[in-house]
Amino acid sequence: MTPPEIRELVAEDIPAATALLAHLNPNVPPEVVQQRFATILAEHPHYHAFGAFLDGKLVALASAWIATKVWCGRYLEVDNIVVDPEIRSSGLGTALIQHLEAFGREKDCNLAVLDSYTSNHASHRLYHRLGFEIWGFHFVKPFGPLDR
């Protein structure tokens, strides 16, 4: 496979990015995915979305938040890693994560963190292979339906 072009997404990439994000969030209506992604991009300047392109087509994306916490200082929170289902296990997820790690180092982050659904065993293998460790649990308490 030709190495992908990896770059930060621009406005013209948003429809294709939204379609990819729908694969990652099958229980959320596509119009809600689109609205939420647009809101994140519009309201949060510390959020960065990167795409992997093959022959000019967006085939994978990963995004990250840059923030600061008392316990670790400045950190990169990896978010929304998704590869087109037709070409998963082709190295695109690895390439995007490595790109985000380099980006985090450029931004003086001390570490990278990410969440993964407990049932997503394929992603766990990838993250372990890339050096991520499980340091804790992410607890969740919904205040209502998440698909609105």
Side-chain angles (χ1 to χ4, degrees), residues 42-57:
E43 295 181 359
H44 300 282
H46 55 283
Y47 181 86
H48 301 272
F50 294 90
F53 295 80
L54 293 175
D55 298 321
K57 180 184 177 195

Side-chain angles (χ1 to χ4, degrees), residues 81-104:
I81 300 169
V82 60
V83 176
D84 182 316
E86 298 292 319
I87 55 173
R88 287 192 179 144
S89 299
S90 63
L92 292 169
T94 296
L96 279 167
I97 291 170
Q98 289 171 338
H99 185 85
L100 286 175
E101 288 177 358
F103 179 74

Side-chain angles (χ1 to χ4, degrees), residues 4-148:
E5 172 196 3
I6 297 178
R7 63 169 171 79
E8 196 149 6
L9 298 181
V10 296
E12 296 80 33
D13 302 320
I14 302 310
T18 300
L20 280 174
L21 288 168
H23 289 293
L24 190 62
N25 301 279
N27 297 325
V28 180
E31 62 276 4
V32 173
V33 171
Q34 180 179 2
Q35 180 272 324
R36 288 177 180 171
F37 192 55
T39 299
I40 291 168
L41 293 171
E43 295 181 359
H44 300 282
H46 55 283
Y47 181 86
H48 301 272
F50 294 90
F53 295 80
L54 293 175
D55 298 321
K57 180 184 177 195
L58 179 64
V59 294
L61 71 86
S63 52
W65 304 83
I66 295 178
T68 302
K69 290 191 178 190
V70 171
W71 76 271
C72 65
R74 193 168 173 89
Y75 71 101
L76 181 87
E77 182 174 347
V78 178
D79 194 25
N80 293 321
I81 300 169
V82 60
V83 176
D84 182 316
E86 298 292 319
I87 55 173
R88 287 192 179 144
S89 299
S90 63
L92 292 169
T94 296
L96 279 167
I97 291 170
Q98 289 171 338
H99 185 85
L100 286 175
E101 288 177 358
F103 179 74
R105 287 183 180 96
E106 282 177 24
K107 298 295 184 182
D108 296 321
C109 294
N110 295 320
L111 54 83
V113 301
L114 58 81
D115 288 333
S116 178
Y117 292 115
T118 55
S119 61
N120 191 347
H121 302 290
S123 74
H124 304 165
R125 287 187 296 275
L126 171 65
Y127 303 143
H128 283 297
R129 191 171 70 248
L130 293 174
F132 285 84
E133 301 171 359
I134 298 171
W135 282 17
F137 295 102
H138 187 93
F139 290 89
V140 176
K141 182 179 181 179
F143 295 141
L146 300 178
D147 61 350
R148 54 186 167 99

